[in-house]
Amino acid sequence: MSIRFIKAMKLMSKISLGEMDEPPKKKSSINTDLPGSLSATLGTGKHAQDSVVWLTIKWSLTLGFLLSCALIWFTWPDSPDGIHPPIESKFPIEELKTIWGVFIPLVTLTLGYMFGKTR
């Protein structure tokens, strides 16, 4: 090692930086509300409950409508020559009942949860 390096090290060891205060530690508690991506989307507390209800209703109605449109689009009319309206048209009423038989109970369940009696 060079003499300059040794002298520099001795000089640096004599430099006093004073007492360093540690930053105060924050107390952590599980009971606090920690905001996250889900809290930013839905909210917290009562707002989160209302948001989940309205998201459930919105997606149930949207999916029911889109599935109904797709069903009607692909099953009716059934005329191979493209004449509209076809002579023998079969409207898929039973399939529509099945689709909405899934989504309407979800909507009524969420509305009952939102507007139902609390205790």
Side-chain angles (χ1 to χ4, degrees):
M1 287 193 194
S2 72
I3 295 177
R4 285 185 185 176
F5 180 73
I6 294 173
K7 286 183 180 179
M9 291 302 288
K10 285 182 182 179
L11 182 62
M12 287 175 51
S13 66
K14 292 180 183 177
I15 297 174
S16 174
L17 296 176
E19 291 187 26
M20 300 287 286
D21 292 332
E22 291 185 23
K25 294 182 180 178
K26 294 182 180 177
K27 294 180 181 178
S28 64
S29 175
I30 295 177
N31 294 332
T32 61
D33 187 21
L34 300 174
S37 62
L38 193 59
S39 295
T41 303
L42 296 178
T44 58
K46 180 70 174 155
H47 299 292
Q49 292 175 352
D50 293 343
S51 295
V52 168
V53 167
W54 290 117
L55 283 174
T56 304
I57 291 171
K58 181 176 95 173
W59 283 107
S60 295
L61 293 176
T62 303
L63 282 174
F65 177 74
L66 291 176
L67 287 174
S68 298
C69 288
L71 177 71
I72 292 170
W73 181 265
F74 288 112
T75 61
W76 186 69
D78 60 353
S79 176
D81 56 358
I83 299 171
H84 296 285
I87 297 170
E88 296 178 22
S89 64
K90 297 178 186 175
F91 192 76
I93 194 72
E94 290 302 317
E95 290 83 1
L96 284 174
K97 285 181 184 177
T98 304
I99 288 172
W100 287 103
V102 172
F103 293 111
I104 293 299
L106 282 173
V107 171
T108 56
L109 179 70
T110 55
L111 287 174
Y113 172 74
M114 185 171 183
F115 296 114
K117 222 182 229 188
T118 55
R119 296 180 196 196

